[in-house]
Amino acid sequence: MKGPEGTVSIRIPSDPKKLYLMRRLVKEISCAEGFAEKETGRIVLAMDEACTNVIRHAYGGDTGKSIVIEAGPCEEGICFVVIDEGRKPDPDSIRPRPLDQI
């Protein structure tokens, strides 16, 4: 990963059974950066959702692909980036839901 000192990256298979690797990395980095347990749990959950969405939507459930997670310091504290090589959504097909449905 190009970027400031202290950045790390991990490449994991697009297999839901392997997402524990990403969760461990995200938890360790979040704790090391001083996030409280509750905040760390929320960060891990958000990253899990992001990777699950890559597997489900970008890869169509294909477990033979890979996902790259990059983590490093940023102005807000810590930044996580999820990189995939899946199909991209058509921006015109994305419509927000009414707030009362969320």
Side-chain angles (χ1 to χ4, degrees):
M1 171 179 175
K2 291 182 181 178
E5 187 175 326
T7 57
V8 296
S9 67
I10 183 174
R11 178 180 301 272
I12 60 171
S14 60
D15 184 341
K17 294 176 185 174
K18 301 298 183 182
L19 290 182
Y20 75 92
L21 298 165
M22 174 276 303
R23 290 190 295 267
R24 284 185 183 174
L25 174 71
V26 171
K27 181 178 179 181
E28 290 298 321
I29 291 173
S30 298
C31 288
E33 290 297 318
F35 286 93
E37 186 176 334
K38 188 173 183 177
E39 293 169 321
T40 295
R42 289 178 177 162
I43 295 168
V44 171
L45 178 61
M47 290 297 293
D48 191 69
E49 286 288 324
C51 291
T52 298
N53 283 338
V54 167
I55 295 168
R56 182 177 296 143
H57 301 293
Y59 291 155
D62 186 347
T63 59
K65 306 281 185 178
S66 64
I67 301 170
V68 175
I69 309 299
E70 296 180 344
C74 64
E75 289 181 24
E76 294 79 22
I78 188 169
C79 293
F80 291 97
V81 178
V82 178
I83 302 169
D84 68 82
E85 297 176 359
R87 59 188 152 95
K88 306 300 177 211
D90 175 10
D92 294 330
S93 70
I94 300 172
R95 303 221 185 330
R97 292 187 291 175
L99 290 177
D100 62 347
Q101 292 182 5
I102 297 177

